[in-house]
Amino acid sequence: PLRRTKEDEFYLFDDWFTDIETTAVTAKKYGLKPHFFIQSMAFGGTISWWNDRTPTEEDIRLQIYAYLAYGAKGVSHFCYQSPKSNEFFERQSGLFDKGAPTERWFYAQKIHKELKSFEKELVNCSWEKCLRVDSTVADVNELFNCQNGNAFEEFATMQSVETTARCLVGAFKGTDGKESFMLVNVEDTSKKKT
């Protein structure tokens, strides 16, 4: 989902959230456990039409937490081990390169350790839905043009969300029927908004 223009401006792939939501809703419908891939490397090399950017720690964190807000039960990194050198992969390696960990491996270790602190809560909850909440600022983002709304009426414990940045609100229910929510800032990390 992490892209850059030829002018080295960063942005998120237009259909990323729609793709995640389609997968999550379909998995829920059929009783499946969704599993997603994290973009852990840039692609493209000298291929001019493919302009993915090198993921930072914040980029990897954004992806993982966004997937969790959509009920992910697992994530894998692509690419974990760098493929043999060729034009497509020449710019970037994955989490391991030539048998040694890259800086992205250390990012992933740090983030996965964070997740352990609330793993029990996530495992014991079922995903209900994810709401895309746009910011109150006028900056329009194509990713949120097809949002599924800010409809919180079905939740007793949360009626609304106000934010200065775009966020996801993952809604979950525990085995005891209690509601819980995961709020994720999904502004492009290159904008440095918190």
Side-chain angles (χ1 to χ4, degrees):
L2 310 167
R3 301 293 172 96
R4 68 177 172 80
T5 66
K6 291 178 183 175
E7 294 78 29
D8 271 341
E9 295 172 354
F10 294 148
Y11 67 98
L12 292 172
F13 182 62
D14 291 344
D15 295 327
W16 185 49
F17 292 111
T18 303
D19 292 347
I20 301 170
E21 186 167 320
T22 300
T23 302
V25 169
T26 302
K28 181 178 173 103
K29 178 179 177 179
Y30 293 102
L32 304 172
K33 296 178 180 180
H35 189 105
F36 295 93
F37 284 93
I38 305 303
Q39 179 187 331
S40 297
M41 62 185 287
F43 299 101
T46 58
I47 300 172
S48 61
W49 53 267
W50 200 294
N51 292 304
D52 288 349
R53 69 188 194 224
T54 303
T56 63
E57 179 179 333
E58 293 79 16
D59 290 331
I60 293 171
R61 183 176 287 109
L62 178 148
Q63 292 175 83
I64 292 174
Y65 279 78
Y67 290 137
L68 290 174
Y70 276 101
K73 294 298 181 186
V75 295
S76 295
H77 291 268
F78 184 85
C79 188
Y80 190 82
Q81 176 74 36
S82 297
K84 291 185 178 181
S85 181
N86 66 39
E87 178 185 24
F88 191 69
F89 293 104
E90 78 177 29
R91 283 190 325 166
Q92 190 55 246
S93 59
L95 298 184
F96 272 81
D97 187 28
K98 298 177 183 135
T102 66
E103 66 182 352
R104 282 165 305 290
W105 183 86
F106 293 102
Y107 299 158
Q109 293 299 307
K110 180 179 177 183
I111 297 163
H112 288 277
K113 188 175 181 178
E114 288 172 19
L115 299 176
K116 286 283 189 191
S117 69
F118 58 93
E119 174 184 35
K120 182 179 176 184
E121 289 80 5
L122 281 175
V123 170
N124 292 322
C125 288
S126 64
W127 178 75
E128 296 298 310
K129 70 185 299 184
C130 189
L131 302 167
R132 300 184 209 177
V133 181
D134 210 346
S135 66
T136 55
V137 295
D139 183 26
V140 177
N141 183 330
E142 293 295 319
L143 295 174
F144 282 74
N145 284 349
C146 58
Q147 65 182 314
N148 58 7
N150 296 340
F152 289 90
E153 63 270 0
E154 63 195 83
F155 303 108
T157 56
M158 182 181 289
Q159 299 302 311
S160 65
V161 171
E162 288 185 30
T163 177
T164 57
R166 287 162 197 85
C167 73
L168 298 176
V169 181
F172 302 84
K173 281 202 177 160
T175 53
D176 58 2
K178 290 184 179 178
E179 298 171 345
S180 58
F181 300 91
M182 172 182 262
L183 279 71
V184 180
N185 176 351
V186 289
E187 285 291 341
D188 189 315
T189 60
S190 66
K191 294 181 179 179
K192 305 287 185 202
K193 289 187 179 181
T194 58

